[in-house]
Amino acid sequence: MESYHISGGKTLEGEYRLKGAKNAVLPILAATIISGRTSRIKNCPRLSDIRTMMAILEEMGCGVSWDGSDILVDSSPVNSFRIPQKLMKEIRSSVFLMGPTLARCGQVILSDPGGCAIGKRPIDIHLAALRLLGVDIAEKDGLLECRAKSLKGAVIPLSFPSVGATENVMMAAVMAEGETRILNPAKEPEIVDLQNYLTSCGADITGAGTEEIRIIGGLPLHETEYEPIPDRIEAGTILTAAAAVRGKVLLKGAAPEHMDSVLDCLEESGCKIWRQDHSVYLEASSPLKAVKPIETRPYPGFPTDMQSQFMALMCLAEGTTEITEAIFENRFKHVAELNRMGARIRIAGKTAMIEGVESLRGQRVTAADLRGGAALVIAGLAAEGDTIVENISHIDRGYDRLEDILTGLGARIERVVEP
Ligand code: UD1
């Protein structure tokens, strides 16, 4: 088992160039199946979730390789519509393979998706939407068997703007006959990015990021080269870490326009932020203050993927901050660990009340999920003394060697293999 050993109290200073967004790259990799051609996806992070997605594509017959930081996928040889069960359990994002595999093969067999243990993550909205496109879905021996004689364009109202369901419908509809309209779709920048990738292959999709997405299906697709958007959660995590240790950090290759809710909260907490076209700079020299109540929301609201990191920061702010997790249940596993480091957090239902303290103290803590693990690293960087964060395989799912990123900015953090 690997752990992070962190010596707290060092500030973060310097610059870092962001990588492509995990939550954009994963659905785009799934979408490469549709075209039956070659896709070059540029500036991808080397994350365990991405390696798992590549392994799934390979098992389904694709040629998949790294070329520097680009991923090449040749989906012409796809020869299976079964998503390998063992790999499927490893990543939640494997659920994105439903839409593309249906588009390419007319059928898909899969098991329940895996992923972070952050509460119930049902896929009923995905299934209801795919049924409207003409897909028959049956459950047999714990497997979902989905088949469509032919996919037919339809009007698809989503009961909640689910990111995954919106992506699945977009990908299936690219090969459906006629027009599909997705009403109440998710508006996350990663949705716009998926539209842009599919358009770069020759698909006809418009409206991503608005109240309605329109897809004209059945166009022939071709090979493409595509660079996904920068990772707004990697960016938010580094800036929040810098804020916690009173640092000064410049992020290059950033898209600050995707990060307003988080940047606004950082500003409100006393940090100075400069937003430019492709960079964002944070300087944290004034004392940290509690911010107005935060509730996680679909984009452009405060992202659930930044809830735990921002909570770690608010542990050190003057005053009390209220953070409500409205997207996922059970996404407060970091709270008990932060409290063991000296934080004062109380939970009432979906809401955490964070009463700021003067300082945190180093402790041996355990990451229970990806972003909660990142929160413990932030707390460890800011704490007095040494912190050990165990179970960092969770963190590797979403950050490409977080220790290298932070060491490059002046932190003392080491990856240690523990028996
Ligand atoms: C979610 C986040 C997304 C983030 C991703 C990775 C939101 C709205 N979505 O996307 O920003 O990048 O995690 O961490 O913040 N739901 C159902 N039935 C379904 C699908 C979803 O009830 O079929 C519920 C979920 O249980 C959850 C909510 O809808 O409460 C959000 O789901 P969804 O957006 O689909 O989640 P992800 O696609 O995983």
PDB file of all heavy atoms in Angstrom, residues 116-122 296 304 307 324-334 347 349-351 369:
ATOM      1  N   CYS A 116     -15.888   5.535  -7.023  1.00  0.00           N
ATOM      2  CA  CYS A 116     -15.729   5.984  -5.635  1.00  0.00           C
ATOM      3  C   CYS A 116     -16.916   5.569  -4.786  1.00  0.00           C
ATOM      4  O   CYS A 116     -18.048   5.581  -5.256  1.00  0.00           O
ATOM      5  CB  CYS A 116     -15.667   7.508  -5.603  1.00  0.00           C
ATOM      6  SG  CYS A 116     -14.013   8.150  -5.548  1.00  0.00           S
ATOM      7  N   ALA A 117     -16.631   5.270  -3.516  1.00  0.00           N
ATOM      8  CA  ALA A 117     -17.712   4.908  -2.600  1.00  0.00           C
ATOM      9  C   ALA A 117     -18.347   6.180  -2.047  1.00  0.00           C
ATOM     10  O   ALA A 117     -18.180   6.505  -0.881  1.00  0.00           O
ATOM     11  CB  ALA A 117     -17.143   4.071  -1.470  1.00  0.00           C
ATOM     12  N   ILE A 118     -19.030   6.938  -2.896  1.00  0.00           N
ATOM     13  CA  ILE A 118     -19.630   8.180  -2.381  1.00  0.00           C
ATOM     14  C   ILE A 118     -21.147   8.109  -2.480  1.00  0.00           C
ATOM     15  O   ILE A 118     -21.799   8.992  -2.993  1.00  0.00           O
ATOM     16  CB  ILE A 118     -19.075   9.448  -3.071  1.00  0.00           C
ATOM     17  CG1 ILE A 118     -19.173   9.354  -4.597  1.00  0.00           C
ATOM     18  CG2 ILE A 118     -17.657   9.719  -2.655  1.00  0.00           C
ATOM     19  CD1 ILE A 118     -18.737  10.634  -5.310  1.00  0.00           C
ATOM     20  N   GLY A 119     -21.665   7.038  -1.962  1.00  0.00           N
ATOM     21  CA  GLY A 119     -23.120   6.924  -1.890  1.00  0.00           C
ATOM     22  C   GLY A 119     -23.695   6.247  -3.115  1.00  0.00           C
ATOM     23  O   GLY A 119     -22.982   5.811  -3.995  1.00  0.00           O
ATOM     24  N   LYS A 120     -25.020   6.191  -3.124  1.00  0.00           N
ATOM     25  CA  LYS A 120     -25.733   5.521  -4.224  1.00  0.00           C
ATOM     26  C   LYS A 120     -25.448   6.268  -5.520  1.00  0.00           C
ATOM     27  O   LYS A 120     -25.526   7.488  -5.570  1.00  0.00           O
ATOM     28  CB  LYS A 120     -27.240   5.580  -3.961  1.00  0.00           C
ATOM     29  CG  LYS A 120     -27.766   4.443  -3.140  1.00  0.00           C
ATOM     30  CD  LYS A 120     -29.284   4.352  -3.275  1.00  0.00           C
ATOM     31  CE  LYS A 120     -29.931   5.546  -2.653  1.00  0.00           C
ATOM     32  NZ  LYS A 120     -31.265   5.781  -2.553  1.00  0.00           N
ATOM     33  N   ARG A 121     -25.114   5.559  -6.562  1.00  0.00           N
ATOM     34  CA  ARG A 121     -24.948   6.232  -7.842  1.00  0.00           C
ATOM     35  C   ARG A 121     -25.768   5.476  -8.877  1.00  0.00           C
ATOM     36  O   ARG A 121     -25.244   4.730  -9.690  1.00  0.00           O
ATOM     37  CB  ARG A 121     -23.458   6.298  -8.211  1.00  0.00           C
ATOM     38  CG  ARG A 121     -22.692   7.167  -7.235  1.00  0.00           C
ATOM     39  CD  ARG A 121     -21.244   7.346  -7.590  1.00  0.00           C
ATOM     40  NE  ARG A 121     -21.024   8.411  -8.537  1.00  0.00           N
ATOM     41  CZ  ARG A 121     -19.839   8.974  -8.770  1.00  0.00           C
ATOM     42  NH1 ARG A 121     -18.781   8.577  -8.120  1.00  0.00           N
ATOM     43  NH2 ARG A 121     -19.705   9.929  -9.644  1.00  0.00           N
ATOM     44  N   PRO A 122     -27.078   5.662  -8.856  1.00  0.00           N
ATOM     45  CA  PRO A 122     -27.955   4.909  -9.757  1.00  0.00           C
ATOM     46  C   PRO A 122     -27.763   5.334 -11.218  1.00  0.00           C
ATOM     47  O   PRO A 122     -27.196   6.402 -11.484  1.00  0.00           O
ATOM     48  CB  PRO A 122     -29.358   5.260  -9.274  1.00  0.00           C
ATOM     49  CG  PRO A 122     -29.237   6.506  -8.489  1.00  0.00           C
ATOM     50  CD  PRO A 122     -27.826   6.618  -8.012  1.00  0.00           C
ATOM     51  N   THR A 296     -23.278  22.366  -3.034  1.00  0.00           N
ATOM     52  CA  THR A 296     -22.825  21.811  -4.313  1.00  0.00           C
ATOM     53  C   THR A 296     -24.023  21.710  -5.256  1.00  0.00           C
ATOM     54  O   THR A 296     -25.134  21.371  -4.839  1.00  0.00           O
ATOM     55  CB  THR A 296     -22.184  20.423  -4.139  1.00  0.00           C
ATOM     56  OG1 THR A 296     -23.155  19.531  -3.588  1.00  0.00           O
ATOM     57  CG2 THR A 296     -20.970  20.483  -3.223  1.00  0.00           C
ATOM     58  N   THR A 304     -19.388  19.473  -6.840  1.00  0.00           N
ATOM     59  CA  THR A 304     -19.245  18.454  -5.789  1.00  0.00           C
ATOM     60  C   THR A 304     -17.799  17.962  -5.714  1.00  0.00           C
ATOM     61  O   THR A 304     -17.314  17.622  -4.639  1.00  0.00           O
ATOM     62  CB  THR A 304     -20.232  17.286  -6.023  1.00  0.00           C
ATOM     63  OG1 THR A 304     -19.985  16.282  -5.039  1.00  0.00           O
ATOM     64  CG2 THR A 304     -20.107  16.669  -7.393  1.00  0.00           C
ATOM     65  N   GLN A 307     -15.860  19.993  -3.163  1.00  0.00           N
ATOM     66  CA  GLN A 307     -16.431  20.190  -1.819  1.00  0.00           C
ATOM     67  C   GLN A 307     -15.435  19.851  -0.709  1.00  0.00           C
ATOM     68  O   GLN A 307     -15.232  20.631   0.226  1.00  0.00           O
ATOM     69  CB  GLN A 307     -17.710  19.340  -1.725  1.00  0.00           C
ATOM     70  CG  GLN A 307     -18.390  19.304  -0.398  1.00  0.00           C
ATOM     71  CD  GLN A 307     -18.040  18.028   0.344  1.00  0.00           C
ATOM     72  OE1 GLN A 307     -17.308  18.043   1.326  1.00  0.00           O
ATOM     73  NE2 GLN A 307     -18.555  16.910  -0.129  1.00  0.00           N
ATOM     74  N   THR A 324     -23.050  22.429   2.180  1.00  0.00           N
ATOM     75  CA  THR A 324     -24.069  21.387   1.971  1.00  0.00           C
ATOM     76  C   THR A 324     -23.715  20.587   0.723  1.00  0.00           C
ATOM     77  O   THR A 324     -23.457  21.160  -0.338  1.00  0.00           O
ATOM     78  CB  THR A 324     -25.466  22.035   1.805  1.00  0.00           C
ATOM     79  OG1 THR A 324     -25.734  22.778   2.994  1.00  0.00           O
ATOM     80  CG2 THR A 324     -26.552  20.993   1.600  1.00  0.00           C
ATOM     81  N   GLU A 325     -23.710  19.268   0.864  1.00  0.00           N
ATOM     82  CA  GLU A 325     -23.439  18.392  -0.288  1.00  0.00           C
ATOM     83  C   GLU A 325     -24.788  17.936  -0.834  1.00  0.00           C
ATOM     84  O   GLU A 325     -25.474  17.103  -0.219  1.00  0.00           O
ATOM     85  CB  GLU A 325     -22.590  17.190   0.160  1.00  0.00           C
ATOM     86  CG  GLU A 325     -22.371  16.120  -0.908  1.00  0.00           C
ATOM     87  CD  GLU A 325     -21.821  16.660  -2.224  1.00  0.00           C
ATOM     88  OE1 GLU A 325     -20.709  17.197  -2.222  1.00  0.00           O
ATOM     89  OE2 GLU A 325     -22.514  16.540  -3.264  1.00  0.00           O
ATOM     90  N   ALA A 326     -25.193  18.513  -1.965  1.00  0.00           N
ATOM     91  CA  ALA A 326     -26.527  18.250  -2.485  1.00  0.00           C
ATOM     92  C   ALA A 326     -26.514  17.280  -3.670  1.00  0.00           C
ATOM     93  O   ALA A 326     -27.573  16.930  -4.180  1.00  0.00           O
ATOM     94  CB  ALA A 326     -27.183  19.570  -2.886  1.00  0.00           C
ATOM     95  N   ILE A 327     -25.338  16.870  -4.126  1.00  0.00           N
ATOM     96  CA  ILE A 327     -25.297  15.976  -5.302  1.00  0.00           C
ATOM     97  C   ILE A 327     -25.189  14.510  -4.865  1.00  0.00           C
ATOM     98  O   ILE A 327     -25.956  13.666  -5.324  1.00  0.00           O
ATOM     99  CB  ILE A 327     -24.110  16.328  -6.230  1.00  0.00           C
ATOM    100  CG1 ILE A 327     -24.184  17.791  -6.686  1.00  0.00           C
ATOM    101  CG2 ILE A 327     -24.048  15.377  -7.433  1.00  0.00           C
ATOM    102  CD1 ILE A 327     -25.304  18.128  -7.641  1.00  0.00           C
ATOM    103  N   PHE A 328     -24.236  14.209  -4.004  1.00  0.00           N
ATOM    104  CA  PHE A 328     -24.029  12.811  -3.594  1.00  0.00           C
ATOM    105  C   PHE A 328     -24.262  12.656  -2.094  1.00  0.00           C
ATOM    106  O   PHE A 328     -23.944  13.551  -1.310  1.00  0.00           O
ATOM    107  CB  PHE A 328     -22.608  12.346  -3.932  1.00  0.00           C
ATOM    108  CG  PHE A 328     -22.366  12.226  -5.404  1.00  0.00           C
ATOM    109  CD1 PHE A 328     -21.458  13.041  -6.039  1.00  0.00           C
ATOM    110  CD2 PHE A 328     -23.065  11.303  -6.173  1.00  0.00           C
ATOM    111  CE1 PHE A 328     -21.238  12.947  -7.409  1.00  0.00           C
ATOM    112  CE2 PHE A 328     -22.860  11.204  -7.537  1.00  0.00           C
ATOM    113  CZ  PHE A 328     -21.948  12.021  -8.159  1.00  0.00           C
ATOM    114  N   GLU A 329     -24.776  11.480  -1.702  1.00  0.00           N
ATOM    115  CA  GLU A 329     -24.858  11.177  -0.278  1.00  0.00           C
ATOM    116  C   GLU A 329     -23.505  10.572   0.098  1.00  0.00           C
ATOM    117  O   GLU A 329     -22.753  10.114  -0.761  1.00  0.00           O
ATOM    118  CB  GLU A 329     -25.950  10.163   0.035  1.00  0.00           C
ATOM    119  CG  GLU A 329     -26.585   9.494  -1.118  1.00  0.00           C
ATOM    120  CD  GLU A 329     -27.549   8.419  -0.702  1.00  0.00           C
ATOM    121  OE1 GLU A 329     -27.075   7.277  -0.556  1.00  0.00           O
ATOM    122  OE2 GLU A 329     -28.748   8.729  -0.562  1.00  0.00           O
ATOM    123  N   ASN A 330     -23.201  10.593   1.364  1.00  0.00           N
ATOM    124  CA  ASN A 330     -22.006   9.910   1.821  1.00  0.00           C
ATOM    125  C   ASN A 330     -20.711  10.473   1.239  1.00  0.00           C
ATOM    126  O   ASN A 330     -19.790   9.731   0.931  1.00  0.00           O
ATOM    127  CB  ASN A 330     -22.127   8.419   1.439  1.00  0.00           C
ATOM    128  CG  ASN A 330     -21.432   7.543   2.441  1.00  0.00           C
ATOM    129  OD1 ASN A 330     -20.869   8.047   3.414  1.00  0.00           O
ATOM    130  ND2 ASN A 330     -21.449   6.239   2.223  1.00  0.00           N
ATOM    131  N   ARG A 331     -20.688  11.807   1.019  1.00  0.00           N
ATOM    132  CA  ARG A 331     -19.441  12.369   0.504  1.00  0.00           C
ATOM    133  C   ARG A 331     -18.746  13.204   1.589  1.00  0.00           C
ATOM    134  O   ARG A 331     -18.122  14.213   1.300  1.00  0.00           O
ATOM    135  CB  ARG A 331     -19.701  13.197  -0.764  1.00  0.00           C
ATOM    136  CG  ARG A 331     -18.477  13.208  -1.643  1.00  0.00           C
ATOM    137  CD  ARG A 331     -18.636  13.812  -2.994  1.00  0.00           C
ATOM    138  NE  ARG A 331     -17.433  13.469  -3.770  1.00  0.00           N
ATOM    139  CZ  ARG A 331     -17.201  13.865  -5.000  1.00  0.00           C
ATOM    140  NH1 ARG A 331     -18.063  14.620  -5.625  1.00  0.00           N
ATOM    141  NH2 ARG A 331     -16.089  13.515  -5.627  1.00  0.00           N
ATOM    142  N   PHE A 332     -18.866  12.732   2.840  1.00  0.00           N
ATOM    143  CA  PHE A 332     -18.252  13.460   3.961  1.00  0.00           C
ATOM    144  C   PHE A 332     -17.265  12.555   4.705  1.00  0.00           C
ATOM    145  O   PHE A 332     -17.026  12.756   5.891  1.00  0.00           O
ATOM    146  CB  PHE A 332     -19.342  13.924   4.938  1.00  0.00           C
ATOM    147  CG  PHE A 332     -20.079  15.180   4.517  1.00  0.00           C
ATOM    148  CD1 PHE A 332     -21.397  15.383   4.896  1.00  0.00           C
ATOM    149  CD2 PHE A 332     -19.446  16.173   3.773  1.00  0.00           C
ATOM    150  CE1 PHE A 332     -22.082  16.541   4.541  1.00  0.00           C
ATOM    151  CE2 PHE A 332     -20.127  17.332   3.403  1.00  0.00           C
ATOM    152  CZ  PHE A 332     -21.439  17.515   3.784  1.00  0.00           C
ATOM    153  N   LYS A 333     -16.702  11.561   3.996  1.00  0.00           N
ATOM    154  CA  LYS A 333     -15.841  10.607   4.717  1.00  0.00           C
ATOM    155  C   LYS A 333     -14.551  11.245   5.206  1.00  0.00           C
ATOM    156  O   LYS A 333     -13.892  10.699   6.085  1.00  0.00           O
ATOM    157  CB  LYS A 333     -15.544   9.419   3.813  1.00  0.00           C
ATOM    158  CG  LYS A 333     -16.749   8.544   3.616  1.00  0.00           C
ATOM    159  CD  LYS A 333     -16.400   7.293   2.866  1.00  0.00           C
ATOM    160  CE  LYS A 333     -17.619   6.399   2.817  1.00  0.00           C
ATOM    161  NZ  LYS A 333     -17.489   5.405   1.764  1.00  0.00           N
ATOM    162  N   HIS A 334     -14.178  12.378   4.602  1.00  0.00           N
ATOM    163  CA  HIS A 334     -12.950  13.066   5.027  1.00  0.00           C
ATOM    164  C   HIS A 334     -13.142  13.811   6.347  1.00  0.00           C
ATOM    165  O   HIS A 334     -12.176  14.190   6.982  1.00  0.00           O
ATOM    166  CB  HIS A 334     -12.519  14.057   3.932  1.00  0.00           C
ATOM    167  CG  HIS A 334     -13.663  14.904   3.439  1.00  0.00           C
ATOM    168  ND1 HIS A 334     -14.640  14.406   2.592  1.00  0.00           N
ATOM    169  CD2 HIS A 334     -14.016  16.173   3.710  1.00  0.00           C
ATOM    170  CE1 HIS A 334     -15.528  15.356   2.353  1.00  0.00           C
ATOM    171  NE2 HIS A 334     -15.177  16.441   3.021  1.00  0.00           N
ATOM    172  N   ILE A 347     -21.485  17.486  11.479  1.00  0.00           N
ATOM    173  CA  ILE A 347     -22.349  17.188  10.328  1.00  0.00           C
ATOM    174  C   ILE A 347     -23.780  17.064  10.809  1.00  0.00           C
ATOM    175  O   ILE A 347     -24.056  16.407  11.815  1.00  0.00           O
ATOM    176  CB  ILE A 347     -21.941  15.863   9.663  1.00  0.00           C
ATOM    177  CG1 ILE A 347     -20.510  15.965   9.154  1.00  0.00           C
ATOM    178  CG2 ILE A 347     -22.861  15.501   8.508  1.00  0.00           C
ATOM    179  CD1 ILE A 347     -19.994  14.708   8.538  1.00  0.00           C
ATOM    180  N   GLY A 349     -27.050  15.940   8.767  1.00  0.00           N
ATOM    181  CA  GLY A 349     -27.622  15.529   7.477  1.00  0.00           C
ATOM    182  C   GLY A 349     -26.648  15.784   6.346  1.00  0.00           C
ATOM    183  O   GLY A 349     -25.519  15.320   6.372  1.00  0.00           O
ATOM    184  N   LYS A 350     -27.115  16.604   5.377  1.00  0.00           N
ATOM    185  CA  LYS A 350     -26.283  16.866   4.189  1.00  0.00           C
ATOM    186  C   LYS A 350     -25.342  18.041   4.394  1.00  0.00           C
ATOM    187  O   LYS A 350     -24.681  18.491   3.464  1.00  0.00           O
ATOM    188  CB  LYS A 350     -27.196  17.241   3.021  1.00  0.00           C
ATOM    189  CG  LYS A 350     -28.068  16.137   2.508  1.00  0.00           C
ATOM    190  CD  LYS A 350     -29.003  16.771   1.491  1.00  0.00           C
ATOM    191  CE  LYS A 350     -29.596  15.727   0.574  1.00  0.00           C
ATOM    192  NZ  LYS A 350     -30.332  16.343  -0.511  1.00  0.00           N
ATOM    193  N   THR A 351     -25.389  18.641   5.611  1.00  0.00           N
ATOM    194  CA  THR A 351     -24.640  19.885   5.825  1.00  0.00           C
ATOM    195  C   THR A 351     -23.524  19.705   6.837  1.00  0.00           C
ATOM    196  O   THR A 351     -23.711  19.049   7.870  1.00  0.00           O
ATOM    197  CB  THR A 351     -25.618  20.987   6.302  1.00  0.00           C
ATOM    198  OG1 THR A 351     -26.597  21.172   5.266  1.00  0.00           O
ATOM    199  CG2 THR A 351     -24.909  22.309   6.540  1.00  0.00           C
ATOM    200  N   ASP A 369     -11.858   8.262  -0.441  1.00  0.00           N
ATOM    201  CA  ASP A 369     -12.250   8.471  -1.836  1.00  0.00           C
ATOM    202  C   ASP A 369     -11.309   9.503  -2.446  1.00  0.00           C
ATOM    203  O   ASP A 369     -10.459  10.079  -1.757  1.00  0.00           O
ATOM    204  CB  ASP A 369     -13.727   8.871  -1.969  1.00  0.00           C
ATOM    205  CG  ASP A 369     -14.070  10.152  -1.229  1.00  0.00           C
ATOM    206  OD1 ASP A 369     -13.400  11.164  -1.473  1.00  0.00           O
ATOM    207  OD2 ASP A 369     -15.009  10.148  -0.404  1.00  0.00           O
TER     208      ASP A 369
END
